[in-house]
Every structure is written in C-alpha cells, then in structure tokens.
Amino acid sequence: MQKKRLKFFWIVFIAIFCWEWIPEFVAPTLTGISIFCLAKRDSAWFTRIFGGSNGNEGLGMFSICLDWAYIGSGGGSLGALFTPFTTQVSQFIGFVFFSFLVFTFRF
C-alpha cells in the first residue's frame, strides 16, 4: 500500500511541476509580440514607438498581446471581457449617486 501512495505522490508532483513551471517559463515571452521590432532590431527609435520584447517596453503600437492580465482587464472594473448590462447600470447608478453627494454637500 505504501508503494502505491509514493508512486501516486510522485506522479502528481511531476504533473503539478510541469503544470506550473512550463507556463511560468513560456508565458513571459508571450506578453507582447511586435512584428515591427522583429523586422528592425537595431533601431532604438522603433523600440520606443512599437515596443520591445518585454511587456511594458515602449509605447507598444500595433503589438500583439497574449497576456490574459492585459486582455481581461479591458472589459470594465470587474476585469472580464464582457460586463453584464445589469452590472453596468448598477455601477452607473452608484456613480451618479456618489457624484450627487459630492457636488451638492459642502464639507
């Protein structure tokens, strides 16, 4: 019984190691891909305008982003790609109410 448990532990350990290590090794290289910077690597001007190999290097014009943290944060304050209409209405009502409080009362 003990050998089965040890074998199961090592299988799960290796699977979890691969599951965590491979994305941590590969994913940082996929944060931003700039075709322009790949075409002209020696120009610092191109790197400043179109971005470089790192995630937040340069302005990043026309670069392709594959990082879910950047892609998913564009849909609203919840961080999803799509914010439901009821959530948008609720946030708008809260904003209007808070703005009314701030602009009508003097502190």
Side-chain angles (χ1 to χ4, degrees), residues 86-106:
T86 55
T87 307
Q88 291 178 11
V89 170
S90 175
Q91 289 177 344
F92 179 72
I93 290 171
F95 170 74
V96 169
F97 179 71
F98 183 75
S99 298
F100 174 75
L101 287 177
V102 166
F103 292 126
T104 56
F105 296 115
R106 296 181 190 242

